Amino acid sequence: MNSQLTPPLTPAERSLIQGKLLQLLSRQVERYTMGESTSIRVEQAQELLDSICYCLGISATNPDGRWRRLLYCDIAQEYAEGLLRVEQKKQLGICLWQAACANLPPVWSTAMLDTLKSLGSFWKKYDSGWFAHWLPSGLDYQLAIPVSDTIRGVDYAIRYLEHLFSENRFLSAYQPDTLIPVLHQYCPDYKGLVVNLFEPAAANALGLAVLGRLDGTLQLGRQELERLSGVWAHMGRAEIRCCLLQGLEGLRLRHALDPEVCAYIAQYSEQLAVRVDMLRDKGGLHGIFLAV
């Protein structure tokens, strides 16, 4: 059903669903206090309600079309099924985290390692029964494509790991002696500072691929940078992105990149095309691509 065609909830329907949620919350409070009390602090009750809504796949503050299915269902059963889905997601997240730890790229940073360590602690502490909506903390390593702050709970952790895994799989396609000069030029202390390692490598790789250089290098010469400027001189943003995607196809074949990695780079090429379009007439491409 098209959610845009779903009629809004009436006040009576909204009141009915809110009543069901309050009944479920009351049961959760009793369980949370082990039957010793039916009242807790407002802040604690709000946390429990947010956790319930996360498992139900709804927003506590935005009664949208997703609320409608709760009108006629057994909300306790719906919650139990949602809780099971969250637990299954948790197991998926743990598998992704283990894979990320076992497949570090040939270059890394302290921030990346500390972030993976924090995620390991998150899985140990994550309590879907009470606080399923909680976000992992200590994710200091910045991604080239950040995870939306509208995503909550284990979904956020999974999405973060998927992004990180794609970035690191791309870096693993190159040898350390190919990556290190570019990263050192980008940030001399790339290991100690909180900088993303994927971006400078991916930008240079795409730029070289646009020029037809698919020899495994990441070193971009100044003359090649001028050639890139010439290629894109009269292109619009959409044409620049198409050009980058053609380069990505060359990288895919050259390095046998996985579909997930290619999809991530394709998404990154969108923001790269925006930067090229905005900056090429304001001092050239030197702030985007690293040239020697």
Side-chain angles (χ1 to χ4, degrees), residues 23-141:
Q23 286 181 347
L24 186 54
L25 175 61
S26 178
R27 295 177 200 167
Q28 285 294 90
V29 169
E30 187 174 359
R31 290 181 59 232
Y32 185 69
T33 61
M34 300 180 68
E36 295 181 1
S37 175
T38 57
S39 64
I40 56 176
R41 290 187 292 110
V42 172
E43 294 82 5
Q44 290 176 310
Q46 185 61 56
E47 291 289 346
L48 292 177
L49 179 59
D50 285 344
S51 181
I52 289 171
C53 289
Y54 174 74
C55 291
L56 290 171
I58 64 173
S59 167
T61 57
N62 182 27
D64 58 16
R66 291 175 296 174
W67 278 46
R68 184 167 294 279
R69 75 177 190 279
L70 302 178
L71 279 171
Y72 309 106
C73 74
D74 180 340
I75 195 169
Q77 180 64 29
E78 192 80 7
Y79 171 72
E81 292 173 359
L83 187 59
L84 177 60
R85 287 192 295 270
V86 171
E87 279 297 313
Q88 291 171 339
K89 288 180 182 180
K90 177 182 176 181
Q91 296 308 312
L92 170 62
I94 291 173
C95 290
L96 284 171
W97 171 71
Q98 291 172 335
C101 292
N103 294 276
L104 288 172
V107 292
W108 45 265
S109 69
T110 300
M112 183 189 294
L113 299 183
D114 287 348
T115 293
L116 287 171
K117 183 177 179 180
S118 293
L119 279 166
S121 298
F122 171 73
W123 300 123
K124 294 177 182 178
K125 299 175 182 176
Y126 184 69
D127 190 340
S128 58
W130 307 120
F131 308 111
H133 63 297
W134 277 11
L135 294 170
S137 61
L139 305 188
D140 295 331
Y141 184 72

Side-chain angles (χ1 to χ4, degrees), residues 189-246:
D189 189 18
Y190 68 86
K191 282 192 174 183
L193 297 179
V194 184
V195 295
N196 180 266
L197 307 185
F198 165 85
E199 276 203 85
N204 269 29
L206 286 168
L208 287 164
V210 167
L211 297 176
R213 279 196 61 188
L214 295 165
D215 54 4
T217 185
L218 290 173
Q219 292 288 338
L220 187 66
R222 295 189 180 276
Q223 289 185 337
E224 289 169 317
L225 194 60
E226 292 302 319
R227 285 176 56 200
L228 270 180
S229 296
V231 169
W232 290 325
H234 304 292
M235 287 187 183
R237 189 172 298 180
E239 293 174 298
I240 293 171
R241 182 166 186 262
C242 285
C243 195
L244 290 168
L245 292 178
Q246 290 173 357

